[in-house]
């Protein structure tokens, strides 16, 4: 499970990230609202921990923007604002839960697990005969689990989040390999080829859009 931590306090962010990593989560940290909005809309996160007080755009505005954009990812608001009126405002803006600082790490983990359980339907992506199970980080083809490496799974997940839409190569490099520039290698092509091999007779599901990138198709092109 991948979690985006939006927190400008470096000490708190590093501590929470370390705890989540020890619990088996993949944690990314973002320190401001503008970057958080962009990262969250990539669709690669299963949960967002969002601080209310940020140096540029406040967490409430970030939450509102994400919900208006149609993002369904669970959001847990973390803040020192503990008044009832403020908690209600956070929830009405689109947050799924609210935790007041300082908090016990056991309670944070319990709330995270509860949000993940509630969003179990969101965690499964269906694309024709293919299903990507984000909860268990696996992919099934006609009910049979595919033997994927971690990178192959992440690549397939990224394509599944944009089913029938083109994912540019630059976007894949940024979100799957966390590369900010094209290194001039064929790393994407190699992994796409491996995925097609594992899809077997369903290799057609990953379509090459020449000069742009790749698209995962739910149905075979006529």
């Amino acid at each position: 499970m991948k979690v985006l931590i939006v927190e400008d306090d470096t000490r708190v962010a590093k501590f929470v990230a370390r705890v989540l990593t020890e619990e088996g989560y993949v944690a990314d940290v973002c320190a401001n609202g503008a970057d958080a909005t962009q990262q969250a809309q990539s669709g690669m996160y299963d949960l967002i921990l969002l601080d209310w007080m940020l140096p540029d755009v406040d967490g409430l505005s970030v939450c509102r923007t994400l919900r208006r954009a149609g993002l369904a990812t669970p959001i847990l608001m973390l803040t020192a604002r503990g008044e009832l009126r403020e908690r209600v405002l956070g929830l009405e803006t689109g947050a799924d839960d609210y935790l007041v600082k300082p908090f016990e790490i056991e309670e944070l983990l319990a709330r995270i697990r509860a949000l993940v359980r509630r969003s179990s339907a969101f965690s499964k992506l269906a694309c024709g005969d293919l299903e990507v199970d984000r909860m268990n980080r696996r992919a099934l083809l006609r009910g049979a689990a595919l033997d994927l490496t971690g990178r192959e799974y992440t690549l397939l997940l990224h394509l599944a989040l944009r089913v029938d839409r083109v994912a540019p190569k630059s976007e894949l490099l940024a979100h799957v390999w966390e590369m900010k520039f094209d290194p001039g290698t064929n790393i994407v092509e190699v992994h796409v080829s491996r995925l097609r091999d594992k899809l077997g007779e369903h290799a057609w599901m990953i379509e090459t859009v020449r000069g742009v990138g790749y698209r995962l198709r739910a149905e075979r092109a006529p």
Side-chain angles (χ1 to χ4, degrees), residues 4-18:
L4 178 62
I5 303 168
V6 186
E7 169 64 70
D8 64 319
D9 186 322
T10 304
R11 183 181 57 83
V12 173
K14 285 183 176 180
F15 173 70
V16 173
R18 179 171 59 80

Side-chain angles (χ1 to χ4, degrees), residues 48-205:
I48 299 170
L49 301 182
L50 180 60
D51 184 33
W52 186 314
M53 299 299 292
L54 295 170
D56 54 350
V57 183
D58 64 73
L60 207 62
S61 298
V62 172
C63 183
R64 186 180 296 113
T65 298
L66 294 177
R67 292 307 187 221
R68 286 177 177 173
L71 190 76
T73 306
I75 296 175
L76 173 55
M77 191 79 78
L78 303 176
T79 179
R81 296 172 177 264
E83 295 296 324
L84 174 62
R85 178 180 59 83
E86 293 168 332
R87 295 201 302 271
V88 171
L89 180 59
L91 293 170
E92 289 184 341
T93 300
D96 297 275
D97 202 355
Y98 196 102
L99 189 57
V100 178
K101 298 177 181 178
F103 50 80
E104 295 294 332
I105 201 65
E106 290 81 4
E107 182 179 5
L108 173 63
L109 292 172
R111 288 177 182 269
I112 288 175
R113 287 191 289 267
L115 286 175
V116 169
R117 284 196 302 270
R118 273 185 246 161
S119 64
S120 58
F122 166 74
S123 71
K124 292 186 178 181
L125 302 171
C127 177
D129 290 332
L130 180 70
E131 180 183 280
V132 180
D133 181 354
R134 300 178 73 184
M135 181 79 71
N136 297 299
R137 287 187 62 81
R138 64 176 185 164
L140 300 95
L141 185 61
R142 290 184 172 176
L146 295 173
D147 183 16
L148 303 178
T149 65
R151 193 76 70 181
E152 289 166 353
Y153 167 80
T154 304
L155 174 58
L156 185 59
L157 170 61
H158 193 88
L159 294 172
L161 287 165
R162 291 151 183 75
V163 64
D164 291 325
R165 290 182 290 157
V166 179
K169 182 179 177 180
S170 59
E171 179 180 293
L172 294 174
L173 285 169
H175 292 289
V176 179
W177 282 270
E178 298 183 354
M179 294 182 180
K180 303 300 183 184
F181 61 92
D182 188 343
T185 69
N186 64 344
I187 190 171
V188 177
E189 290 81 359
V190 168
H191 280 76
V192 167
S193 178
R194 290 174 181 169
L195 271 179
R196 283 175 173 154
D197 287 343
K198 293 181 179 182
L199 288 171
E201 63 181 23
H202 286 74
W204 56 265
M205 294 186 74

